[in-house]
Amino acid sequence: MAYLLAAYGVVFAALVGYALWLRARRSALASSDGPGAS
Amino acid sequence: VSAEELFIRSSRWTGAAAVVLVCAWLVLVVQAPVERVQGIVQKVFYLHVSLICPAYLGFVLAAVGGIGFLGTRSEAWDRFALAGAEVGVLFTTLILATGPLWAKPVWGHWWVWDLRLTLTLVLWFVYVAYLFLRAFTQGSDAARTFAAVYAIAGTFVIPFNYYAVELARGSTMHPSNPASEGLPAGMVLPLLTGMLAFLVLFAHLVARRLEIERLEARLEAEVA
């Protein structure tokens, strides 16, 4: 059971982490791209 | 509106669709029958195998983007290639992480140097090298051309990786591809739902990554 939870945990942590990192990077770039950026 | 813009806009609904599909998939995984020999840990199968489609697709997109760039010299194709490769590397990393977590309780080893595992590691190294190449050679047209050719050449590893178990002719511990094995009825739906969920999530992540590349290009153009 520990191996199963570890496998699913690693995948979800990595995918959610990557999605959040993309969002943060997009926000930072959009804010420096001027007020018209969306 | 360009195709790139449409694809980026699609990330709004692909994100929501991915969340719904992943939730449905998890319910199906919980309800799937427990395999008699391996026990509960066999359910890593639905995760590990579902990650393969987006991993391959990411590298195919990198090659398609490379071909598009070589044909048109359009930076949009180049951005598409980079986004595909990066998300493909993410999914391949997760395949390499989940494989040992399934192998240890079933084989007794975290890793064995058989053909399938070794070729998956080779595939990962090929595209990690591509990402390093892109990171250290930003902005150069010659580098973009080389990266495009490299991404196209890298896809030659994919068929060898896919057919590795057949190519090894029995001298491998890795199971055959599920399509050639014939799965019990209760295992097919969770597997197919997982594949669909991760493909939609892949499309979402590529679109978001592409948007970042486009924003960076726009900023660089403003500075220059």
Side-chain angles (χ1 to χ4, degrees):
Chain A
M1 189 70 174
Y3 290 106
L4 180 72
L5 293 176
Y8 278 79
V10 163
V11 168
F12 280 98
L15 291 174
V16 170
Y18 183 68
L20 291 175
W21 176 73
L22 289 179
R23 176 177 284 202
R25 206 163 149 204
R26 181 196 173 279
S27 299
L29 285 167
S31 62
S32 56
D33 194 29
S38 59
Chain B
V1 180
S2 67
E4 185 182 39
E5 177 64 29
L6 282 175
F7 183 58
I8 289 169
R9 283 186 193 176
S10 75
S11 71
R12 290 172 192 166
W13 64 265
T14 50
V19 170
V20 171
L21 282 166
V22 166
C23 290
W25 168 66
L26 285 173
V27 170
L28 289 169
V29 169
V30 170
Q31 290 177 345
V34 175
E35 207 265 341
R36 210 175 296 164
V37 179
Q38 296 184 24
I40 194 89
V41 79
Q42 183 271 341
K43 293 195 178 195
V44 175
F45 163 81
Y46 304 111
L47 180 68
H48 183 71
V49 177
S50 301
L51 294 167
I52 292 168
C53 296
Y56 284 164
L57 188 59
F59 303 143
V60 170
L61 289 190
V64 169
I67 292 167
F69 176 75
L70 292 177
T72 64
R73 313 307 289 184
S74 161
E75 289 186 14
W77 281 110
D78 184 58
R79 291 194 287 270
F80 187 63
L82 177 57
E86 185 175 297
V87 182
V89 165
L90 172 69
F91 278 92
T92 309
T93 306
L94 295 175
I95 291 168
L96 290 169
T98 53
L101 286 165
W102 188 13
K104 179 63 178 169
V106 175
W107 296 346
H109 302 284
W110 293 104
W111 183 269
V112 289
W113 290 101
D114 85 349
L115 196 59
R116 169 57 73 77
L117 276 70
T118 306
L119 281 175
T120 306
L121 192 62
V122 167
L123 188 67
W124 184 80
F125 273 122
V126 165
Y127 285 94
V128 167
Y130 172 87
L131 295 182
F132 273 108
L133 174 73
R134 299 305 306 258
F136 291 119
T137 56
Q138 282 180 343
S140 155
D141 193 60
R144 286 195 187 102
T145 303
F146 179 77
V149 174
Y150 184 95
I152 295 163
T155 54
F156 283 97
V157 183
I158 294 175
F160 289 103
N161 181 267
Y162 185 78
Y163 291 109
V165 176
E166 285 79 3
L167 290 169
R169 293 180 184 179
S171 61
T172 174
M173 293 176 79
H174 198 282
S176 308
N177 297 326
S180 58
E181 264 186 349
L183 286 173
M187 294 182 177
V188 175
L189 187 60
L191 178 65
L192 293 180
T193 309
M195 286 178 169
L196 180 64
F198 281 116
L199 280 173
V200 174
L201 181 61
F202 169 84
H204 173 74
L205 293 174
V206 171
R208 299 307 292 259
R209 185 66 186 83
L210 192 59
E211 186 180 20
I212 288 169
E213 277 303 308
R214 199 180 58 165
L215 278 167
E216 282 180 348
R218 198 180 287 169
L219 278 172
E220 279 170 21
E222 282 174 11
V223 170

